[in-house]
Amino acid sequence: MEYSPIYQNLHLVSSSPVKNKLFVFCIMLSLWVYMIYCCVGYCSTMPSLMVSTASSKHSQHLETVDPNRTQPRLQNEGDLESEHQEDPLDSLDPLFGASSRDVLNNESDLDSRGGEDWDEIRSEQRTLDNNVVSSLFNVSGPVESKKLPQAIIIGVKKGGTRALLEFLRVHPDIRAVGAEPHFFDRNYDKGLEWYRDRMPETQEGQITMEKTPSYYVTKDVPARIHTMSPDTRLIVVVRDPVTRAISDYTQTRSKKPDIPSFESLAFKNRTTGLIDTSWSAVQIGMYAKHLERWLQYFPKEQLLFISGERLISDPAGEMTRVQDFLGLRRVVGHKHFHFNPAKGFPCLKRPEGNSKPHCLGKTKGRIHPNIDPEVVQKLRDFYQPFNRRFYQMTGHDFGWGSWS
């Protein structure tokens, strides 16, 4: 017992270094956690700078669909020119084997180069940052991942695809990439993982979508999409092919004011009235010819054809058709739209509150040039058999002109 005080003193002395080490370890651990927190906070600010820079480069937007623009009044429909007495759809087969004469559209569209809603990008980046923090601190939340698209808007250019995409993005169960990936027509050699990486992150039950209007008229795309997934749902926005061609020309002329006149580009021979079907602005509107290729790979039930005209006059009605086609709840309806008489197309608005409606870019709703009524009539005559067959193939009359 006489050694007890000495033993106790020795015990206290020996335990002090342990306590000191434990104290130092706690301080180091706290500093380590604080440094990680600071790094995460710093990194989260970087995308905002990148987005701001990109936004300044892509502040312009594409022209919107404007089928209500006044076109020259047509008195009656004529017959096809003597050169086309045989079935014009069959006689044009060789034309589709060669590349089209793309006088006006050799530059990339703004949509293709990233004409997306930058607020959407910032939102996606914030979601990504939150996921990083959640993973570091083990905070539970919805699991998000990038998936290949289950639905694609495949066409057509100047038909109303940008408007439809923006309308769809209002739906909480749809996540869509804003910029056109052009994977199946221009970037296919980069592989599916590159394509998947372009897609936004989605949660379970959400649908991933993209739009690239040139898919509809590109020869190899149907087979490539079918290889990716034969169950992919396809949406095509179509518009009166004559109005669409003029809109196509109008967009390009706004960038290249010195291009030839619409009339000179539309005809091989103005005197005989022979239409130049190698010009892409004309060729895109031959909807039936392109649809034949898609139906070789996909059943008609997997394609939905949206009227570009009705997307303007009755956006809620067309959105109901799209939501039903995709198996979604009918969320987007009349309360989401406000018609802008100045631009001639509907704008999106929040159902709650009095916030200002969101319209598409300033370049939307360009005024079409005045085209010679005789030229317009000849184009309508040319498209007549293509339209008739397209109505038969889709089971839907879009009402582009009348004939006996």
Side-chain angles (χ1 to χ4, degrees), residues 302-339:
Q302 275 180 238
L303 287 95
L304 177 67
F305 298 90
I306 293 297
S307 167
E309 288 83 6
R310 280 193 283 276
L311 194 61
I312 301 301
S313 63
D314 182 20
E318 290 299 277
M319 286 302 299
T320 295
R321 295 182 61 225
V322 177
Q323 291 171 100
D324 290 348
F325 175 72
L326 297 175
L328 298 171
R329 298 170 292 152
R330 293 183 178 181
V331 173
V332 185
H334 291 284
K335 61 185 179 181
H336 290 91
F337 298 103
H338 168 77
F339 187 79

Side-chain angles (χ1 to χ4, degrees), residues 309-380:
E309 288 83 6
R310 280 193 283 276
L311 194 61
I312 301 301
S313 63
D314 182 20
E318 290 299 277
M319 286 302 299
T320 295
R321 295 182 61 225
V322 177
Q323 291 171 100
D324 290 348
F325 175 72
L326 297 175
L328 298 171
R329 298 170 292 152
R330 293 183 178 181
V331 173
V332 185
H334 291 284
K335 61 185 179 181
H336 290 91
F337 298 103
H338 168 77
F339 187 79
N340 185 329
K343 282 184 169 289
F345 55 78
C347 301
L348 288 168
K349 65 178 182 179
R350 295 183 182 276
E352 67 285 349
N354 297 318
S355 59
K356 184 179 179 180
H358 169 69
C359 298
L360 296 179
K362 294 180 180 179
T363 59
K364 302 295 184 179
R366 296 185 184 94
I367 298 176
H368 291 174
N370 292 322
I371 306 298
D372 185 343
E374 182 182 352
V375 172
V376 174
Q377 183 62 53
K378 287 186 180 296
L379 279 172
R380 291 200 182 280

